[in-house]
Amino acid sequence: MEPGYRMPINKVEKIWMNGTLVNWDDAKVHVMTHAMHYGSSWFEGIRCYETKCGSAVLCLDAHIQRLFDSTKMYRAEIPFTRKQLVDAVKETIRVNKLKACYIRPLAYRGYGEPGVNPFGSPVDVMIAVWEWGTYLGGEALENGIDVCVSSWNRPAPNTLPTMSKAGGNYLGSQLVKMEALLNGYAEGIALDVRGYISEGSGENIFIVRDKVLYTPPLIASILPGITRVCVMKLAEDAGFRLVEGAMPREMLYVADEVFLTGTAAEITPVRSVDKIAVGEGKPGPVTKKLQEMFFDVVRSGNDKYRWLDFV
Ligand code: PMP
């Protein structure tokens, strides 16, 4: 069997497709769909948490905004408003009667004209929801994970825009992920084309050294992560000094703490990089403090940061 933490999908009843709720098994596209041939899709990964005050979607507006940003640079116009998609996400959660779930809105160039020119293909939109647990392994959040630096780089400037969460970008992510898994690591960290630290295959990265928190900037070919912004805010509130700046690879080897952030990964500690222990080889105090603050918001439902959109 191939390596990696397995996360089978549990079907739910309905998927939202272009404004209609269709049965899970009927949510199909034609094989001539433009996105299938040319990677012309843009998506989001969002989480809905079961808080003490009811189900709430974390940073829903920010995710829908990023979906529109992702399509804008590709001149693809989503035929719905932001508000329609925000409402559609919540409706899809409600009809499927889920309390906590992962949410996947996807806009894609559909079935139109063959050929690279995308203008002749419509922009279709779908939203699926399903129950999803910890992304990087059962004990990842508590004990941390082992990662490697990937031999694959993130895209260079003016190749594929990394600020767009485009389907095609995830070919690179798949190479990073497979290489890591086949070598016995849970995740791979890609460097940018200059050799500076960029991000994981599906997560942003933070490093702690001498009590200062560091994270790579947008020009390190990262996806502008929404959890990254949440963590920056939490770090500010906790009084940690934060530096957003380019970092050489070797910062990973001398770090006191390293952690990954993402909607799926949440705040996952890293305990080793290329078999070099990070700090004492277990989650450190800064990581733990930020985890505690983050999970307090999504568990308690205390919306002091205005991140929660109750379903
Ligand atoms: N980088 C990549 C490549 C990702 O796929 C993700 C997950 N969307 C992230 C970073 C983290 O982004 P977010 O916190 O918005 O989920």
Side-chain angles (χ1 to χ4, degrees), residues 8-303:
I9 195 161
N10 283 330
K11 286 188 201 177
V12 297
E13 227 177 287
K14 301 283 185 189
I15 289 182
W16 188 96
M17 281 183 95
N18 290 325
T20 311
L21 288 160
V22 301
N23 289 332
W24 180 279
D25 288 331
D26 299 329
K28 294 182 178 155
V29 294
H30 195 274
V31 289
M32 289 306 288
T33 294
H34 194 272
M36 292 259 294
H37 299 246
Y38 304 112
S40 38
S41 67
W42 306 273
F43 66 99
E44 273 308 314
I46 316 175
R47 261 191 204 266
C48 174
Y49 286 91
E50 186 176 4
T51 79
K52 286 202 179 113
C53 308
S55 291
V57 183
L58 184 63
C59 300
L60 179 54
D61 287 336
H63 281 282
I64 297 299
Q65 181 59 49
R66 188 173 63 186
L67 182 66
F68 278 80
D69 291 346
S70 292
T71 53
K72 189 174 182 188
M73 44 193 116
Y74 282 94
R75 304 169 202 278
E77 259 182 57
I78 294 180
F80 297 94
T81 63
R82 286 165 184 68
K83 168 134 194 350
Q84 280 173 320
L85 292 191
V86 164
D87 291 343
V89 163
K90 292 196 270 185
E91 187 192 3
T92 312
I93 298 168
R94 280 195 298 266
V95 297
N96 287 299
K97 301 183 183 70
L98 293 176
K99 296 218 155 53
C101 59
Y102 187 80
I103 306 154
R104 168 58 49 78
L106 176 84
Y108 55 101
R109 288 281 186 183
Y111 174 35
E113 294 170 16
V116 170
N117 173 8
F119 289 125
S121 297
V123 177
D124 292 324
V125 184
M126 77 88 184
I127 302 166
V129 298
W130 65 89
E131 281 178 317
W132 230 20
T134 316
Y135 180 63
L136 290 166
E139 289 161 8
L141 292 174
E142 217 169 304
N143 299 336
I145 57 167
D146 302 306
V147 308
C148 60
V149 172
S150 185
S151 70
W152 294 99
N153 287 341
R154 293 280 297 164
N158 292 318
T159 59
L160 297 170
T162 55
M163 280 184 72
S164 180
K165 194 167 166 65
N169 287 6
Y170 285 80
L171 284 170
S173 287
Q174 289 174 54
L175 293 171
V176 170
K177 189 79 186 182
M178 288 189 291
E179 182 187 62
L181 293 177
L182 286 165
N183 288 312
Y185 300 97
E187 187 54 287
I189 306 302
L191 307 177
D192 71 12
V193 74
R194 304 165 299 175
Y196 298 139
I197 299 167
S198 180
E199 63 178 1
S201 73
E203 310 86 15
N204 293 115
I205 190 164
F206 286 82
I207 291 171
V208 182
R209 183 168 158 88
D210 292 336
K211 300 198 168 60
V212 180
L213 196 53
Y214 297 88
T215 199
L218 289 186
I219 59 161
S221 300
I222 64 165
L223 178 80
I226 288 162
T227 321
R228 174 180 179 270
V229 174
C230 292
V231 165
M232 286 167 139
K233 176 73 190 142
L234 296 174
E236 185 190 318
D237 276 18
F240 297 131
R241 199 174 144 228
L242 178 100
V243 177
E244 195 180 355
M247 270 177 292
R249 167 183 186 160
E250 53 272 27
M251 270 289 272
L252 291 165
Y253 305 130
V254 296
D256 299 324
E257 299 179 40
V258 176
F259 61 88
L260 303 178
T261 65
T263 299
E266 298 168 308
I267 300 177
T268 299
V270 171
R271 65 183 173 196
S272 73
V273 182
D274 290 336
K275 304 208 160 104
I276 298 177
V278 173
E280 288 169 15
K282 53 181 204 227
V286 176
T287 310
K288 282 200 195 152
K289 174 73 188 162
L290 293 167
Q291 276 186 325
E292 186 192 303
M293 292 170 84
F294 178 83
F295 286 113
D296 177 59
V297 173
V298 298
R299 284 181 190 144
S300 70
N302 174 353
D303 196 17

